[in-house]
Amino acid sequence: MVALIGSLVAFVVALLVGGLAIYVGASLIVGLEDYSHAVVTAIVGALAWALTAWIPLFGPLLALIAWIWVVNWRYPGGWLDAALIGVVAWLAALAILFVLDTILGLGVGAFGVPGA
């Protein structure tokens, strides 16, 4: 039971980190400041990634395109803005995770942000 609770807490923290990273990217690139929108985007983006990343040979590339498509679908602007949101979100996730790992010693990821 303790392991289940620990896993659930780790998932929630990783989801909140991923949502925060997407929030930072979206607010800087397109000026949309809605944290709950970013968290939902993280969930849908992670689902799109999971459904495509397993495909042999081209899976990771297709997964990245699918994730950018989700961001493009959820935020105003075009594909370039969506890709820029992704780059900023990835950098923000790395910075947030560095702080969480260094200061708090948490070994979590950023759910919904590829490569973080």
Side-chain angles (χ1 to χ4, degrees):
M1 185 62 148
V2 173
L4 178 64
I5 292 171
S7 295
L8 184 60
V9 168
F11 169 76
V12 169
V13 169
L15 177 60
L16 295 176
V17 169
L20 180 59
I22 292 172
Y23 170 85
V24 169
S27 64
L28 290 175
I29 301 301
V30 295
L32 186 62
E33 297 181 357
D34 186 344
Y35 182 67
S36 62
H37 192 82
V39 170
V40 171
T41 303
I43 292 170
V44 176
L47 181 62
W49 185 276
L51 291 173
T52 54
W54 62 270
I55 298 170
L57 192 59
F58 296 109
L61 178 60
L62 291 174
L64 182 60
I65 292 168
W67 187 85
I68 293 170
W69 177 85
V70 168
V71 174
N72 187 37
W73 170 59
R74 302 269 304 151
Y75 288 96
W79 282 89
L80 179 60
D81 284 343
L84 290 173
I85 289 171
V87 169
V88 173
W90 181 73
L91 292 170
L94 292 180
I96 294 164
L97 292 174
F98 177 78
V99 170
L100 288 177
D101 287 343
T102 303
I103 295 174
L104 300 176
L106 299 177
V108 296
F111 187 78
V113 178

XYZ file of all heavy atoms in Angstrom:
847
model
N 0.826 -1.190 0.000
C 0.000 0.000 0.000
C 0.876 1.262 0.000
O 0.552 2.220 -0.686
C -0.924 -0.039 1.216
C -1.894 1.100 1.230
S -2.967 1.045 -0.197
C -4.415 1.712 0.446
N 1.952 1.237 0.763
C 2.848 2.393 0.818
C 3.478 2.642 -0.544
O 3.601 3.788 -0.982
C 3.940 2.186 1.902
C 4.970 3.282 1.851
C 3.298 2.109 3.278
N 3.849 1.558 -1.252
C 4.449 1.708 -2.580
C 3.452 2.314 -3.561
O 3.818 3.142 -4.403
C 4.941 0.358 -3.093
N 2.186 1.927 -3.443
C 1.154 2.470 -4.319
C 0.969 3.969 -4.077
O 0.893 4.752 -5.022
C -0.170 1.735 -4.109
C -1.350 2.243 -4.933
C -1.091 2.044 -6.414
C -2.614 1.540 -4.500
N 0.935 4.350 -2.825
C 0.791 5.776 -2.483
C 2.008 6.557 -2.962
O 1.879 7.644 -3.513
C 0.556 5.954 -0.971
C -0.811 5.383 -0.595
C 0.649 7.420 -0.568
C -1.072 5.314 0.893
N 3.199 5.986 -2.770
C 4.421 6.636 -3.234
C 4.429 6.817 -4.743
O 4.829 7.864 -5.255
N 3.979 5.793 -5.465
C 3.910 5.895 -6.924
C 2.901 6.942 -7.360
O 3.146 7.695 -8.311
C 3.533 4.542 -7.533
O 4.546 3.598 -7.302
N 1.781 6.999 -6.680
C 0.756 7.985 -7.000
C 1.260 9.409 -6.752
O 1.064 10.302 -7.580
C -0.515 7.728 -6.195
C -1.704 8.638 -6.492
C -2.127 8.522 -7.942
C -2.861 8.305 -5.572
N 1.943 9.606 -5.645
C 2.505 10.927 -5.328
C 3.562 11.315 -6.365
O 3.587 12.455 -6.848
C 3.085 10.957 -3.895
C 3.918 12.214 -3.656
C 1.969 10.852 -2.871
N 4.418 10.365 -6.747
C 5.444 10.647 -7.754
C 4.805 11.017 -9.101
O 5.263 11.946 -9.775
C 6.363 9.447 -7.928
N 3.735 10.311 -9.468
C 3.037 10.623 -10.710
C 2.441 12.027 -10.662
O 2.575 12.807 -11.611
C 1.939 9.598 -11.002
C 1.029 10.010 -12.126
C 1.447 9.930 -13.440
C -0.241 10.503 -11.860
C 0.612 10.329 -14.486
C -1.080 10.899 -12.891
C -0.647 10.801 -14.207
N 1.779 12.368 -9.561
C 1.150 13.690 -9.434
C 2.207 14.789 -9.482
O 2.031 15.799 -10.170
C 0.297 13.776 -8.151
C -0.139 15.205 -7.873
C -0.916 12.863 -8.258
N 3.319 14.606 -8.783
C 4.389 15.606 -8.801
C 4.951 15.748 -10.217
O 5.141 16.868 -10.711
C 5.502 15.249 -7.790
C 6.730 16.134 -7.986
C 4.987 15.366 -6.366
N 5.191 14.627 -10.897
C 5.720 14.678 -12.264
C 4.728 15.353 -13.206
O 5.123 16.127 -14.089
C 6.049 13.263 -12.755
N 3.427 15.099 -13.014
C 2.407 15.745 -13.844
C 2.374 17.252 -13.584
O 2.290 18.050 -14.519
C 1.034 15.134 -13.574
C -0.149 15.764 -14.316
C 0.047 15.671 -15.823
C -1.441 15.095 -13.884
N 2.468 17.647 -12.334
C 2.465 19.075 -12.002
C 3.712 19.770 -12.547
O 3.638 20.910 -13.009
C 2.334 19.272 -10.497
C 1.004 18.804 -9.893
C 1.028 18.953 -8.366
C -0.173 19.529 -10.496
N 4.845 19.091 -12.520
C 6.078 19.647 -13.090
C 5.937 19.785 -14.606
O 6.277 20.828 -15.181
C 7.304 18.782 -12.726
C 8.535 19.200 -13.527
C 7.595 18.876 -11.233
N 5.434 18.750 -15.269
C 5.223 18.817 -16.709
C 4.251 19.924 -17.085
O 4.472 20.671 -18.038
N 3.171 20.038 -16.321
C 2.208 21.109 -16.560
C 2.823 22.480 -16.364
O 2.575 23.406 -17.145
N 3.642 22.627 -15.328
C 4.300 23.907 -15.076
C 5.256 24.260 -16.212
O 5.321 25.413 -16.652
C 5.043 23.875 -13.737
C 5.781 25.149 -13.342
C 4.814 26.331 -13.252
C 6.506 24.942 -12.015
N 5.977 23.271 -16.706
C 6.909 23.524 -17.807
C 6.161 23.957 -19.065
O 6.568 24.919 -19.736
C 7.737 22.262 -18.083
N 5.058 23.298 -19.378
C 4.260 23.691 -20.547
C 3.641 25.066 -20.311
O 3.579 25.897 -21.230
C 3.199 22.623 -20.866
C 3.886 21.346 -21.347
C 2.200 23.128 -21.914
C 2.969 20.145 -21.507
N 3.210 25.329 -19.092
C 2.665 26.647 -18.743
C 3.694 27.743 -19.019
O 3.372 28.781 -19.604
C 2.247 26.654 -17.274
C 1.885 28.020 -16.746
C 0.604 28.533 -16.914
C 2.829 28.801 -16.077
C 0.265 29.782 -16.432
C 2.500 30.053 -15.598
C 1.221 30.539 -15.777
O 0.893 31.787 -15.303
N 4.939 27.513 -18.604
C 6.008 28.492 -18.829
C 6.211 28.702 -20.333
O 6.284 29.844 -20.808
C 7.324 28.054 -18.144
C 8.498 28.911 -18.593
C 7.179 28.088 -16.635
N 6.287 27.606 -21.077
C 6.468 27.718 -22.524
C 5.329 28.461 -23.196
O 5.549 29.356 -24.012
N 4.099 28.125 -22.841
C 2.936 28.760 -23.464
C 2.822 30.229 -23.079
O 2.465 31.068 -23.912
C 1.663 28.015 -23.083
N 3.143 30.540 -21.828
C 3.026 31.938 -21.420
C 4.094 32.801 -22.095
O 3.812 33.945 -22.472
C 3.100 32.075 -19.899
O 4.361 31.669 -19.410
N 5.279 32.255 -22.304
C 6.341 33.025 -22.958
C 6.146 33.125 -24.472
O 6.438 34.163 -25.065
C 7.703 32.411 -22.659
C 8.215 32.555 -21.226
C 9.524 31.802 -21.043
C 8.379 34.020 -20.854
N 5.660 32.081 -25.100
C 5.578 32.063 -26.563
C 4.266 32.660 -27.077
O 4.269 33.468 -28.003
C 5.765 30.629 -27.119
C 7.125 30.063 -26.692
C 5.599 30.603 -28.636
C 8.332 30.872 -27.135
N 3.126 32.277 -26.496
C 1.842 32.765 -27.025
C 1.059 33.607 -26.023
O -0.038 34.069 -26.324
C 0.948 31.599 -27.535
C 1.595 30.917 -28.720
C 0.601 30.622 -26.438
N 1.599 33.797 -24.835
C 0.955 34.664 -23.857
C -0.263 34.068 -23.169
O -1.021 34.796 -22.530
N -0.457 32.756 -23.264
C -1.597 32.115 -22.618
C -1.167 31.606 -21.251
O -0.277 30.774 -21.142
C -2.128 30.958 -23.473
C -3.396 30.296 -22.973
C -4.541 31.301 -22.942
C -3.770 29.138 -23.870
N -1.805 32.120 -20.214
C -1.440 31.762 -18.843
C -2.599 31.043 -18.177
O -3.431 31.645 -17.510
C -1.048 33.012 -18.067
C 0.176 33.692 -18.637
C 0.579 34.931 -17.859
O -0.122 35.302 -16.908
O 1.595 35.531 -18.227
N -2.657 29.732 -18.369
C -3.691 28.891 -17.781
C -3.049 27.567 -17.384
O -2.819 26.703 -18.231
C -4.825 28.687 -18.785
C -6.007 27.936 -18.191
O -5.854 27.305 -17.128
O -7.083 27.972 -18.806
N -2.784 27.419 -16.097
C -2.059 26.245 -15.608
C -2.857 24.964 -15.819
O -2.290 23.939 -16.222
C -1.687 26.430 -14.134
C -0.900 25.278 -13.569
C 0.388 25.013 -14.011
C -1.451 24.447 -12.598
C 1.118 23.956 -13.501
C -0.733 23.389 -12.082
C 0.554 23.145 -12.540
O 1.263 22.088 -12.040
N -4.166 24.998 -15.581
C -4.960 23.781 -15.757
C -4.962 23.352 -17.227
O -4.940 22.151 -17.527
C -6.385 23.973 -15.233
O -7.048 24.983 -15.948
N -4.970 24.299 -18.133
C -4.885 23.994 -19.563
C -3.556 23.298 -19.867
O -3.515 22.346 -20.658
C -5.019 25.301 -20.361
C -5.225 25.104 -21.823
N -6.448 24.829 -22.372
C -4.346 25.140 -22.861
C -6.322 24.714 -23.689
N -5.063 24.898 -24.006
N -2.495 23.763 -19.236
C -1.173 23.169 -19.440
C -1.103 21.752 -18.883
O -0.484 20.869 -19.492
C -0.098 24.048 -18.797
N -1.734 21.505 -17.750
C -1.730 20.162 -17.159
C -2.483 19.188 -18.064
O -2.025 18.069 -18.306
C -2.308 20.182 -15.727
C -2.525 18.769 -15.202
C -1.389 20.956 -14.794
N -3.625 19.613 -18.582
C -4.371 18.755 -19.513
C -3.544 18.509 -20.772
O -3.511 17.391 -21.298
C -5.752 19.366 -19.844
C -6.435 18.597 -20.961
C -6.624 19.409 -18.602
N -2.858 19.527 -21.245
C -1.989 19.367 -22.413
C -0.890 18.347 -22.121
O -0.562 17.533 -22.989
C -1.375 20.715 -22.825
O -2.436 21.644 -23.091
C -0.498 20.584 -24.060
N -0.342 18.372 -20.924
C 0.690 17.400 -20.538
C 0.129 15.978 -20.576
O 0.792 15.060 -21.081
C 1.236 17.726 -19.153
N -1.076 15.787 -20.080
C -1.685 14.448 -20.083
C -1.935 13.975 -21.509
O -1.570 12.851 -21.877
C -3.001 14.451 -19.272
C -2.712 14.671 -17.791
C -3.765 13.152 -19.478
C -3.949 14.933 -16.950
N -2.548 14.817 -22.330
C -2.861 14.433 -23.709
C -1.577 14.238 -24.510
O -1.457 13.293 -25.300
C -3.789 15.479 -24.372
C -4.045 15.131 -25.836
C -5.098 15.585 -23.614
N -0.591 15.099 -24.287
C 0.696 14.954 -24.970
C 1.401 13.665 -24.601
O 1.993 12.995 -25.460
N 1.348 13.304 -23.331
C 1.972 12.045 -22.896
C 1.255 10.850 -23.517
O 1.898 9.862 -23.897
C 1.940 11.957 -21.378
N -0.054 10.931 -23.633
C -0.823 9.859 -24.271
C -0.445 9.740 -25.748
O -0.226 8.628 -26.255
C -2.317 10.123 -24.115
C -3.248 9.078 -24.711
C -3.048 7.724 -24.046
C -4.690 9.527 -24.570
N -0.355 10.870 -26.448
C 0.052 10.851 -27.856
C 1.445 10.265 -28.006
O 1.716 9.486 -28.937
C 0.002 12.267 -28.435
N 2.335 10.608 -27.096
C 3.699 10.078 -27.128
C 3.678 8.569 -26.929
O 4.322 7.821 -27.671
C 4.544 10.750 -26.040
C 5.975 10.350 -26.085
C 6.544 9.239 -25.537
C 7.035 11.033 -26.746
N 7.874 9.198 -25.809
C 8.215 10.289 -26.548
C 7.097 12.210 -27.475
C 9.441 10.687 -27.052
C 8.334 12.606 -27.973
C 9.488 11.846 -27.773
N 2.919 8.106 -25.942
C 2.868 6.679 -25.634
C 2.278 5.861 -26.780
O 2.693 4.715 -27.008
C 2.054 6.458 -24.370
N 1.336 6.435 -27.500
C 0.693 5.709 -28.597
C 1.559 5.614 -29.846
O 1.292 4.777 -30.717
C -0.643 6.370 -28.956
C -1.751 6.235 -27.916
C -2.961 7.067 -28.313
C -2.127 4.777 -27.704
N 2.595 6.432 -29.957
C 3.401 6.451 -31.177
C 4.871 6.092 -30.971
O 5.519 5.661 -31.921
C 3.327 7.836 -31.843
O 3.688 8.838 -30.890
C 1.931 8.128 -32.360
N 5.400 6.244 -29.785
C 6.841 6.063 -29.561
C 7.299 4.617 -29.755
O 8.464 4.379 -30.054
C 7.221 6.551 -28.170
N 6.422 3.661 -29.600
C 6.786 2.244 -29.693
C 6.987 1.777 -31.136
O 7.508 0.687 -31.368
C 5.704 1.384 -29.032
C 4.379 1.538 -29.725
C 3.410 2.448 -29.445
C 3.924 0.796 -30.852
N 2.366 2.316 -30.323
C 2.652 1.305 -31.199
C 4.451 -0.243 -31.607
C 1.915 0.810 -32.266
C 3.715 -0.745 -32.671
C 2.445 -0.214 -32.988
N 6.572 2.564 -32.108
C 6.659 2.148 -33.516
C 8.128 1.990 -33.909
O 8.928 2.910 -33.702
C 5.954 3.177 -34.431
C 4.471 3.260 -34.071
C 6.147 2.818 -35.905
C 3.735 4.402 -34.732
N 8.494 0.836 -34.461
C 9.900 0.604 -34.814
C 10.428 1.623 -35.816
O 9.709 2.094 -36.693
C 9.875 -0.797 -35.446
C 8.644 -1.436 -34.918
C 7.652 -0.314 -34.730
N 11.662 1.966 -35.670
C 12.457 2.833 -36.528
C 12.059 4.307 -36.480
O 12.880 5.146 -36.176
C 12.429 2.326 -37.984
C 13.446 2.955 -38.935
C 14.862 2.729 -38.435
C 13.277 2.414 -40.331
N 10.806 4.634 -36.751
C 10.385 6.034 -36.804
C 9.580 6.473 -35.593
O 9.097 7.606 -35.558
C 9.563 6.293 -38.077
C 10.352 6.095 -39.332
C 10.099 5.005 -40.145
C 11.360 6.977 -39.683
C 10.835 4.809 -41.301
C 12.092 6.788 -40.837
C 11.843 5.695 -41.659
N 9.420 5.598 -34.608
C 8.588 5.889 -33.453
C 8.922 7.178 -32.718
O 8.032 8.013 -32.500
N 10.183 7.384 -32.342
C 10.505 8.618 -31.609
C 10.211 9.888 -32.404
O 9.711 10.869 -31.858
C 11.999 8.476 -31.312
C 12.226 7.005 -31.282
C 11.301 6.443 -32.333
N 10.475 9.870 -33.703
C 10.187 11.038 -34.535
C 8.673 11.255 -34.646
O 8.188 12.380 -34.510
C 10.806 10.881 -35.921
C 10.538 12.029 -36.899
C 11.089 13.343 -36.350
C 11.141 11.707 -38.254
N 7.935 10.179 -34.875
C 6.474 10.282 -34.933
C 5.903 10.750 -33.598
O 4.947 11.534 -33.561
C 5.858 8.942 -35.326
C 6.100 8.486 -36.759
C 5.559 7.072 -36.960
C 5.485 9.447 -37.749
N 6.477 10.265 -32.507
C 6.020 10.660 -31.179
C 6.241 12.155 -30.951
O 5.371 12.843 -30.406
C 6.731 9.837 -30.105
N 7.389 12.658 -31.382
C 7.661 14.087 -31.236
C 6.692 14.915 -32.074
O 6.148 15.923 -31.595
C 9.111 14.402 -31.612
C 9.535 15.855 -31.454
C 9.387 16.315 -30.007
C 10.971 16.040 -31.926
N 6.449 14.479 -33.295
C 5.483 15.185 -34.153
C 4.091 15.136 -33.533
O 3.367 16.139 -33.525
C 5.499 14.604 -35.582
C 6.834 14.922 -36.259
C 4.325 15.131 -36.406
C 7.077 14.172 -37.553
N 3.708 13.982 -32.981
C 2.398 13.852 -32.334
C 2.295 14.777 -31.127
O 1.262 15.423 -30.902
C 2.149 12.404 -31.923
N 3.369 14.870 -30.349
C 3.362 15.741 -29.168
C 3.244 17.208 -29.585
O 2.464 17.962 -29.003
C 4.619 15.511 -28.331
C 4.589 16.237 -27.033
C 4.013 15.811 -25.872
C 5.141 17.531 -26.759
N 4.182 16.760 -24.893
C 4.862 17.821 -25.414
C 5.838 18.457 -27.517
C 5.272 19.006 -24.810
C 6.238 19.641 -26.914
C 5.948 19.905 -25.580
N 3.990 17.603 -30.613
C 3.897 18.980 -31.105
C 2.501 19.239 -31.666
O 1.947 20.328 -31.478
C 4.999 19.273 -32.146
C 6.379 19.236 -31.473
C 4.792 20.639 -32.804
C 7.549 19.277 -32.442
N 1.900 18.247 -32.333
C 0.537 18.391 -32.833
C -0.433 18.671 -31.682
O -1.315 19.526 -31.805
C 0.098 17.143 -33.606
C -1.317 17.246 -34.062
C -1.767 17.856 -35.201
C -2.469 16.785 -33.371
N -3.143 17.779 -35.255
C -3.602 17.124 -34.143
C -2.672 16.093 -32.177
C -4.896 16.808 -33.758
C -3.971 15.783 -31.788
C -5.062 16.143 -32.579
N -0.260 17.954 -30.569
C -1.127 18.178 -29.403
C -0.974 19.611 -28.908
O -1.970 20.299 -28.647
C -0.828 17.169 -28.274
C -1.507 17.577 -26.974
C -1.258 15.768 -28.679
N 0.247 20.086 -28.795
C 0.481 21.462 -28.344
C -0.129 22.445 -29.346
O -0.777 23.423 -28.953
C 1.988 21.728 -28.134
C 2.241 23.191 -27.809
C 2.533 20.834 -27.021
N 0.039 22.182 -30.632
C -0.532 23.030 -31.676
C -2.059 23.047 -31.591
O -2.684 24.094 -31.782
C -0.079 22.541 -33.056
C -0.494 23.460 -34.172
O -0.500 24.675 -34.022
N -0.848 22.877 -35.294
N -2.655 21.912 -31.298
C -4.103 21.792 -31.169
C -4.627 22.539 -29.943
O -5.678 23.160 -29.981
C -4.476 20.307 -31.108
C -5.885 20.005 -30.743
C -7.017 20.414 -31.394
C -6.321 19.207 -29.646
N -8.136 19.907 -30.765
C -7.726 19.163 -29.675
C -5.648 18.514 -28.634
C -8.474 18.467 -28.736
C -6.399 17.814 -27.706
C -7.796 17.807 -27.768
N -3.854 22.516 -28.860
C -4.310 23.076 -27.590
C -4.013 24.571 -27.429
O -4.611 25.223 -26.583
C -3.678 22.328 -26.418
C -3.944 20.857 -26.370
C -5.150 20.446 -25.590
N -5.077 20.944 -24.235
C -6.154 21.229 -23.514
N -7.352 21.085 -24.014
N -6.028 21.663 -22.282
N -3.081 25.105 -28.209
C -2.679 26.504 -28.050
C -2.801 27.266 -29.364
O -2.644 26.687 -30.435
C -1.239 26.596 -27.524
C -1.131 26.182 -26.089
C -0.764 24.889 -25.731
C -1.435 27.082 -25.066
C -0.694 24.509 -24.404
C -1.371 26.707 -23.740
C -1.000 25.418 -23.414
O -0.943 25.047 -22.109
N -3.026 28.593 -29.284
C -3.095 29.388 -30.513
C -1.719 29.472 -31.175
O -0.698 29.243 -30.540
C -3.557 30.763 -30.017
C -3.163 30.823 -28.584
C -3.216 29.399 -28.081
N -1.729 29.824 -32.431
C -0.485 29.900 -33.183
C -0.404 28.709 -34.114
O -1.345 27.940 -34.271
N 0.727 28.546 -34.716
C 0.904 27.454 -35.663
C 1.910 26.434 -35.149
O 2.236 26.380 -33.966
N 2.404 25.659 -36.099
C 3.358 24.605 -35.771
C 4.660 25.164 -35.192
O 5.239 24.562 -34.280
C 3.654 23.775 -37.016
C 2.563 22.807 -37.331
C 1.466 23.041 -38.101
C 2.464 21.470 -36.860
N 0.682 21.914 -38.135
C 1.272 20.931 -37.391
C 3.263 20.670 -36.050
C 0.857 19.630 -37.133
C 2.854 19.370 -35.804
C 1.668 18.864 -36.326
N 5.103 26.304 -35.700
C 6.340 26.892 -35.182
C 6.167 27.312 -33.725
O 7.042 27.032 -32.888
C 6.775 28.084 -36.032
C 8.058 28.792 -35.574
C 9.235 27.821 -35.575
C 8.348 29.987 -36.447
N 5.046 27.960 -33.410
C 4.783 28.334 -32.017
C 4.704 27.099 -31.129
O 5.214 27.094 -30.005
C 3.490 29.137 -31.899
C 3.644 30.576 -32.370
O 4.795 31.047 -32.473
O 2.610 31.214 -32.637
N 4.069 26.043 -31.621
C 3.957 24.810 -30.838
C 5.339 24.206 -30.577
O 5.631 23.764 -29.460
C 3.061 23.810 -31.555
N 6.192 24.202 -31.598
C 7.552 23.680 -31.421
C 8.340 24.547 -30.439
O 9.081 24.027 -29.593
C 8.260 23.605 -32.770
N 8.171 25.866 -30.530
C 8.866 26.759 -29.593
C 8.354 26.572 -28.166
O 9.141 26.608 -27.208
C 8.717 28.213 -30.040
C 9.474 28.596 -31.309
C 9.103 30.011 -31.752
C 10.971 28.459 -31.109
N 7.047 26.378 -28.012
C 6.501 26.070 -26.682
C 7.171 24.809 -26.156
O 7.550 24.736 -24.988
C 4.974 25.904 -26.736
C 4.288 27.253 -26.970
C 4.448 25.263 -25.441
C 2.798 27.151 -27.257
N 7.331 23.822 -27.021
C 7.987 22.577 -26.620
C 9.424 22.773 -26.184
O 9.857 22.203 -25.174
N 10.168 23.573 -26.922
C 11.570 23.818 -26.560
C 11.649 24.537 -25.210
O 12.433 24.147 -24.332
C 12.289 24.635 -27.658
C 13.642 25.128 -27.190
C 12.428 23.809 -28.927
N 10.841 25.571 -25.035
C 10.844 26.304 -23.763
C 10.366 25.402 -22.631
O 10.934 25.432 -21.527
C 9.996 27.597 -23.865
C 9.854 28.271 -22.514
C 10.609 28.551 -24.878
N 9.346 24.584 -22.894
C 8.849 23.662 -21.864
C 9.935 22.667 -21.464
O 10.107 22.368 -20.280
C 7.609 22.924 -22.362
N 10.677 22.164 -22.441
C 11.750 21.219 -22.147
C 12.826 21.878 -21.285
O 13.265 21.301 -20.286
C 12.333 20.701 -23.461
C 13.419 19.699 -23.284
C 13.296 18.408 -22.877
C 14.817 19.929 -23.508
N 14.531 17.812 -22.832
C 15.473 18.716 -23.215
C 15.551 21.029 -23.926
C 16.853 18.585 -23.327
C 16.923 20.886 -24.040
C 17.563 19.681 -23.745
N 13.232 23.102 -21.657
C 14.237 23.819 -20.866
C 13.717 24.135 -19.461
O 14.449 23.996 -18.474
C 14.663 25.102 -21.581
C 15.447 24.916 -22.882
C 15.604 26.244 -23.612
C 16.794 24.281 -22.600
N 12.456 24.548 -19.375
C 11.859 24.842 -18.069
C 11.791 23.579 -17.217
O 12.072 23.618 -16.010
C 10.466 25.447 -18.241
N 11.425 22.446 -17.832
C 11.357 21.185 -17.087
C 12.730 20.809 -16.547
O 12.851 20.375 -15.394
C 10.802 20.077 -17.975
N 13.758 20.964 -17.359
C 15.113 20.654 -16.885
C 15.496 21.535 -15.696
O 16.080 21.058 -14.721
C 16.122 20.811 -18.021
C 16.040 19.804 -19.163
C 17.113 20.106 -20.202
C 16.164 18.385 -18.646
N 15.162 22.820 -15.774
C 15.484 23.735 -14.675
C 14.688 23.374 -13.418
O 15.255 23.342 -12.317
C 15.197 25.180 -15.095
N 13.406 23.104 -13.562
C 12.566 22.746 -12.413
C 13.060 21.453 -11.784
O 13.181 21.353 -10.554
C 11.088 22.615 -12.846
C 10.536 23.964 -13.290
C 10.237 22.026 -11.719
C 9.231 23.868 -14.078
N 13.365 20.462 -12.610
C 13.833 19.175 -12.088
C 15.199 19.315 -11.418
O 15.466 18.652 -10.405
C 13.884 18.139 -13.206
C 12.524 17.735 -13.761
C 12.701 16.818 -14.963
C 11.666 17.081 -12.699
N 16.051 20.163 -11.948
C 17.344 20.403 -11.305
C 17.145 20.956 -9.896
O 17.775 20.496 -8.946
C 18.185 21.368 -12.148
C 19.499 21.712 -11.514
C 20.556 20.822 -11.558
C 19.672 22.928 -10.852
C 21.772 21.133 -10.959
C 20.870 23.249 -10.257
C 21.937 22.354 -10.306
N 16.248 21.923 -9.768
C 15.971 22.507 -8.448
C 15.364 21.462 -7.518
O 15.779 21.324 -6.361
C 15.049 23.744 -8.582
C 14.547 24.210 -7.227
C 15.771 24.866 -9.299
N 14.380 20.702 -8.013
C 13.741 19.689 -7.167
C 14.726 18.618 -6.723
O 14.672 18.167 -5.580
C 12.560 19.045 -7.905
C 11.318 19.898 -8.083
C 10.270 19.138 -8.892
C 10.744 20.315 -6.736
N 15.613 18.210 -7.631
C 16.592 17.182 -7.281
C 17.679 17.718 -6.361
O 18.086 17.051 -5.416
C 17.232 16.600 -8.544
C 16.286 15.696 -9.306
O 15.271 15.265 -8.726
O 16.560 15.421 -10.488
N 18.150 18.929 -6.632
C 19.251 19.492 -5.859
C 18.816 19.921 -4.462
O 19.460 19.588 -3.473
C 19.864 20.704 -6.601
O 20.279 20.281 -7.889
C 21.045 21.267 -5.846
N 17.735 20.649 -4.386
C 17.311 21.206 -3.100
C 16.507 20.208 -2.273
O 16.746 20.039 -1.086
C 16.504 22.501 -3.319
C 17.407 23.568 -3.923
C 15.889 22.998 -2.020
C 16.707 24.846 -4.310
N 15.548 19.545 -2.915
C 14.657 18.650 -2.168
C 15.034 17.185 -2.267
O 14.468 16.358 -1.540
C 13.210 18.851 -2.655
C 12.640 20.263 -2.495
C 11.256 20.333 -3.091
C 12.625 20.669 -1.039
N 15.940 16.845 -3.158
C 16.354 15.462 -3.308
C 15.285 14.567 -3.909
O 15.313 13.361 -3.719
N 14.344 15.151 -4.639
C 13.298 14.359 -5.290
C 13.807 13.844 -6.615
O 14.372 14.582 -7.409
C 12.035 15.195 -5.513
C 11.346 15.755 -4.282
C 10.156 16.613 -4.681
C 10.900 14.637 -3.365
N 13.601 12.586 -6.872
C 14.029 11.997 -8.134
C 12.843 11.772 -9.050
O 12.556 10.650 -9.409
N 12.162 12.850 -9.413
C 10.977 12.738 -10.270
C 11.294 13.208 -11.675
O 12.323 13.841 -11.916
C 9.782 13.546 -9.706
C 9.339 13.000 -8.371
C 10.114 15.011 -9.607
N 10.383 12.927 -12.598
C 10.502 13.392 -13.962
C 9.464 14.478 -14.224
O 8.862 15.005 -13.282
N 9.286 14.770 -15.491
C 8.286 15.759 -15.893
C 7.323 15.069 -16.851
O 7.602 14.968 -18.045
C 8.938 16.968 -16.546
N 6.228 14.560 -16.352
C 5.245 13.850 -17.144
C 4.639 14.792 -18.184
O 4.208 15.879 -17.857
C 4.142 13.300 -16.230
C 3.155 12.409 -16.906
C 3.488 11.101 -17.191
C 1.901 12.872 -17.261
C 2.581 10.264 -17.818
C 0.997 12.050 -17.891
C 1.333 10.741 -18.181
N 4.646 14.360 -19.431
C 4.048 15.158 -20.487
C 5.000 16.072 -21.223
O 4.597 16.793 -22.120
N 6.294 16.041 -20.856
C 7.307 16.821 -21.569
C 8.366 15.842 -22.053
O 9.087 15.256 -21.232
C 7.951 17.904 -20.671
C 9.034 18.655 -21.419
C 6.903 18.862 -20.140
N 8.458 15.617 -23.368
C 9.400 14.626 -23.880
C 10.844 14.918 -23.497
O 11.298 16.050 -23.552
C 9.227 14.752 -25.407
C 7.904 15.365 -25.610
C 7.678 16.255 -24.425
N 11.532 13.882 -23.090
C 12.960 13.987 -22.808
C 13.335 14.630 -21.486
O 14.505 14.846 -21.205
N 12.352 14.942 -20.664
C 12.673 15.584 -19.384
C 12.419 14.645 -18.235
O 11.629 13.773 -18.248
C 11.846 16.848 -19.210
